[in-house]
Amino acid sequence: MKLYSDEELVTILDQEIFHQISEAADRLGKECYVVGGHVRDIFLERPSNDIDVVVVGSGIAVAEELKRMVGRKAHLSVFRNFGTAQVKFRQKGVEYEVEFVGARKESYSHDSRKPIVEDGTLEDDQNRRDFTINAMAVCLNKDRFGELVDPFNGLADLEDGIIATPLEPDITFSDDPLRMMRCIRFATQLNFQIEDVTFEALERMADRIKIVSGERIKDELNKIILTPHPSIGFEYLQRSGLLQIILPELSALDIVDQKNGRAHKNNFYHTLEVLENVVKHSDNLWLRWAALLHDIGKTKSKRWDPAVGWTFHNHNMIGAKMVPVIFRRLMLPLDMKMKYVEKLVDLHMRPIVIADEEVTDSAVRRLLNDAGDDIDDLMTLCEADITSKNEGRKKMFLENFRVVREKLTDLKEKDYKRLLQPVIDGNEIMELFHLEPSREVGVLKQYLKDAVLDNKVENEREPLMALLMEKAKQMKLLPRDKVLESITHPYR
C-alpha cells in the first residue's frame, strides 16, 4: 500500500467526477464524503469505479443535483425507502457507479439483521461501519477537499495488514452477523491478519450466523473461493467455528483417527491443498466448488479394515449425493452448475484408478464417455488431488495422467461423441424387435455401448447388428431363423 498526505489525496481526487460531486454538494450546502471501499482501495492502489458517497443530510438530493449537472448521459435510480440513490454515467471512456446515502446511525434487534435507521452525523456513520479499513472518509467539499477523516486509525491497520472493527467486535458482529463472513472474506482477499481481539469475538459470536440467510452466506463463500488463496478463508472459518455451522460436511473432515498405530491423513487440510492446486490452473468457480466438496463423502464412508487400515470406499458416490443437499441449503444454483459439481465429485476417483494401473484404451474411452465435455476440468481436479508426500508415487501418477491426457486428446481429435455412441440406437432396437420402452431395450442398448466403449468392434452397423442379434437370441427375443437371417442380412 501507499501512504498519501492530504495534499496527495487532493491530487488523486483531482478528477472531473469528484469535482462534480463536490459542486453538487456545495450548491445544496451539504457535507459530502467519499467513504468505504473506494477510500481503502486508493491506499491499496487498486483502481475502482464504484464510489460510495455519504452526505450529512439528504444523499438523494445531492444525487439528483449531480444528475441535473451531468445531464441526459447520467442515469439516476432513487430508492426512497432506503434513503439511497445511484447515479451511473460514462465519462472520458470510464463507467462510473456512484452510490449516495445520507449519514445515519443504526440500532438492531437481536433476531434480525435489519437495522432501525435514523439520520446521523458523519461520526455516527463511521461508527456503524464494519471494519476500520472501511471506515475512512475523504471530504469532497471545496473548502476541505481531500481531507482524510480516520477516527479509528484505519490507515494504520491498512498499513499493518490488520482486520479490526471500529467498535467492540462483539457489538459489531452481534448487530449484523454477516460481518463475520465479511471479516474473513476481506482477510482472504487482502491477505490480511484478523486482529486477535476481533478473532476471539468471531469464536464467541459464531452461533449468530444462524440468523443470516443461505443466500448471503453463499455470496461471501463465493467471493472467498474466487480469491487467489481461498484456503486462508476456509482455515479461518474452521478455526472460528463458523464452518461447522454453515458447511458442516466440510468441517467434519478436520479429524485424524488412529488405530493400531495407523492413522489416515487430515482430509480437511488435504481438501484445502487440492483447492489451492486447482486455483493455480483455473478461475472456474464451479470447478473450485468441486475441489472443495470432492472428499465430503469420506466422513460417512470411513471404515477400519485390519488388513489394509482406514478405507473410504465409495466416498465419491456418497459425496456426489450430498452435493444437492448443500446447494439447496446455501441457495446455490440447482441447475447445470450443480450437476457439474455433482458429476466431478462422483467421477474424481476414476482417472486416479486408471493412473494407478495400466492405462488401457477401454478405460480411457469409458472415462471420456462419462465425463463428456467436462473431461478437461475433471483431469485438472484429479491432478490437483495428487498431494502425496511420496515423491516417487506422485511422479508415477502424474506420468500416467500424461498418458491418459494423450489418449484423451487422440479420442477428441477423432470426434469422440460419434465414436462412442453406437450407430444403432434405442428407437431402432424397439422397431427391430417390436418392443415398447422396457428393461430389455435398456439391456440391448448397454450391450452395444459396452462393446463400443471396450473397442470390441468398430462402431459400424454390420458388426453391431451381428452382436445385437446374438444378444437378442440369448434373450429369446427372436426365433433362431430370424436371428440368423438378420445376421446374414443386417440391413433388412
Side-chain angles (χ1 to χ4, degrees):
M1 67 164 286
K2 185 171 176 60
L3 294 175
Y4 296 105
S5 64
D6 284 356
E7 291 76 15
E8 288 173 313
L9 283 175
V10 169
T11 302
I12 290 169
L13 297 174
D14 187 18
Q15 302 174 45
E16 185 177 1
I17 185 169
F18 291 114
H19 288 297
Q20 289 173 320
I21 297 169
S22 174
E23 185 178 347
D26 283 344
R27 284 183 182 183
L28 300 177
K30 304 292 185 185
E31 280 184 60
C32 180
Y33 302 84
V34 57
V35 297
H38 193 84
V39 178
R40 178 195 70 227
D41 288 344
I42 286 174
F43 290 101
L44 291 176
E45 300 181 276
R46 301 197 317 177
S48 172
N49 300 326
D50 294 338
I51 302 168
D52 291 328
V53 174
V54 163
V55 177
V56 181
S58 173
I60 293 174
V62 177
E64 290 172 337
E65 181 63 25
L66 177 64
K67 159 68 177 171
R68 281 191 288 272
M69 289 171 54
V70 174
R72 294 176 59 186
K73 65 180 181 179
H75 176 74
L76 172 67
S77 301
V78 176
F79 311 96
R80 295 196 184 277
N81 287 345
F82 299 97
T84 64
Q86 181 188 73
V87 181
K88 289 184 180 182
F89 61 100
R90 188 176 184 84
Q91 191 172 83
K92 296 181 180 177
V94 179
E95 292 283 350
Y96 289 103
E97 287 188 14
V98 188
E99 296 273 356
F100 290 86
V101 64
R104 61 194 190 186
K105 55 183 176 181
E106 298 175 342
S107 57
Y108 291 80
S109 63
H110 187 73
D111 59 350
S112 174
R113 291 183 54 242
K114 295 180 180 178
I116 300 167
V117 178
E118 303 174 66
D119 292 341
T121 63
L122 175 65
E123 181 182 1
D124 291 326
D125 202 89
Q126 288 177 302
N127 285 343
R128 74 179 182 85
R129 297 280 161 175
D130 50 7
F131 307 110
T132 59
I133 62 173
N134 294 333
M136 296 181 288
V138 176
C139 188
L140 294 180
N141 296 102
K142 186 175 182 180
D143 59 345
R144 294 171 54 207
F145 192 84
E147 179 185 313
L148 176 66
V149 183
D150 182 17
F152 304 109
N153 294 316
L155 196 56
D157 286 345
L158 206 57
E159 187 177 12
D160 293 338
I162 295 293
I163 304 292
T165 58
L167 305 178
E168 287 293 324
D170 291 73
I171 297 172
T172 298
F173 295 148
S174 181
D175 282 351
D176 184 356
L178 185 66
R179 289 170 177 163
M180 294 188 286
M181 296 292 298
R182 286 169 56 82
C183 175
I184 291 172
R185 189 249 295 179
F186 279 121
T188 310
Q189 285 179 328
L190 302 176
N191 197 17
F192 279 18
Q193 296 292 314
I194 299 174
E195 177 200 44
D196 288 345
V197 172
T198 302
F199 186 79
E200 288 163 7
L202 284 178
E203 295 177 295
R204 285 192 299 272
M205 306 303 295
D207 202 57
R208 289 281 288 151
I209 201 68
K210 291 177 181 177
I211 73 166
V212 181
S213 72
E215 186 171 14
R216 298 306 299 272
I217 290 172
K218 169 258 296 181
D219 290 341
E220 294 300 323
L221 282 176
N222 283 344
K223 289 174 183 176
I224 290 170
I225 290 171
L226 287 171
T227 61
H229 293 289
S231 63
I232 295 171
F234 283 97
E235 188 170 355
Y236 272 133
L237 287 169
Q238 177 69 351
R239 286 173 48 212
S240 66
L242 285 164
L243 196 65
Q244 291 91 317
I245 299 169
I246 62 177
L247 199 48
E249 298 89 345
L250 179 61
S251 175
L253 296 176
D254 188 8
I255 189 172
V256 176
D257 282 326
Q258 186 168 334
K259 194 166 185 177
N260 296 347
R262 301 175 76 172
H264 61 76
K265 65 187 172 186
N266 184 307
N267 286 299
F268 174 74
Y269 286 98
H270 162 73
T271 293
L272 297 190
E273 191 174 352
V274 174
L275 178 59
E276 289 290 325
N277 288 341
V278 166
V279 166
K280 295 173 187 174
H281 300 286
S282 176
D283 58 4
N284 179 341
L285 171 64
W286 306 108
L287 177 55
R288 293 184 183 197
W289 265 107
L292 193 67
L293 302 181
H294 80 284
D295 272 352
I296 54 171
K298 282 190 170 180
T299 303
K300 292 184 177 181
S301 65
K302 182 164 65 176
R303 300 288 183 274
W304 169 256
D305 182 339
V308 296
W310 293 102
T311 66
F312 303 92
H313 295 312
N314 297 322
H315 74 272
N316 54 312
M317 292 184 285
I318 293 170
K321 291 177 181 177
M322 295 165 70
V323 169
V325 177
I326 293 169
F327 269 55
R328 288 190 188 96
R329 187 175 69 241
L330 293 176
M331 302 179 75
L332 287 157
L334 303 179
D335 55 12
M336 295 307 295
K337 298 180 181 71
M338 183 192 76
K339 293 292 184 186
Y340 166 90
V341 174
E342 195 175 3
K343 177 164 77 170
L344 263 59
V345 171
D346 188 22
L347 294 178
H348 82 270
M349 291 299 295
R350 286 274 294 281
I352 292 173
V353 171
I354 293 172
D356 201 19
E357 302 169 354
E358 182 184 354
V359 182
T360 65
D361 289 347
S362 173
V364 173
R365 289 162 76 92
R366 285 182 172 276
L367 176 65
L368 183 52
N369 175 75
D370 292 342
D373 293 337
D374 300 317
I375 186 64
D376 290 333
D377 287 348
L378 177 62
M379 291 300 295
T380 298
L381 172 60
C382 292
E383 287 172 350
D385 199 16
I386 305 302
T387 62
S388 172
K389 300 300 183 279
N390 183 327
E391 289 302 319
R393 184 167 173 77
K394 187 174 183 177
K395 184 178 179 181
M396 180 272 289
F397 268 115
L398 294 177
E399 173 59 24
N400 282 1
F401 274 138
R402 185 188 62 77
V403 175
V404 172
R405 281 192 179 273
E406 286 179 358
K407 289 179 180 290
L408 288 169
T409 299
D410 184 55
L411 274 173
K412 285 192 284 187
E413 287 175 353
K414 293 177 180 176
D415 186 7
Y416 77 92
K417 289 182 180 178
R418 181 183 59 80
L419 282 174
L420 304 184
Q421 191 62 38
V423 296
I424 299 173
D425 61 16
N427 290 328
E428 187 170 357
I429 290 171
M430 287 189 288
E431 185 178 342
L432 277 169
F433 300 107
H434 304 288
L435 293 171
E436 296 295 321
S438 59
R439 185 189 69 83
E440 287 82 2
V441 176
V443 169
L444 291 171
K445 280 177 61 180
Q446 190 60 48
Y447 183 72
L448 295 185
K449 183 131 194 173
D450 288 341
V452 170
L453 292 175
D454 292 336
N455 208 19
K456 291 179 178 177
V457 294
E458 291 296 320
N459 190 8
E460 297 173 357
R461 287 190 60 81
E462 187 168 350
L464 281 179
M465 188 63 76
L467 277 179
L468 178 63
M469 293 303 174
E470 285 294 341
K471 184 65 175 176
K473 171 185 170 183
Q474 294 171 16
M475 295 173 66
K476 300 182 180 179
L477 292 177
L478 282 178
R480 180 173 176 77
D481 59 339
K482 184 66 175 176
V483 173
L484 292 173
E485 182 184 349
S486 300
I487 294 171
T488 309
H489 305 288
Y491 297 103
R492 290 185 178 178

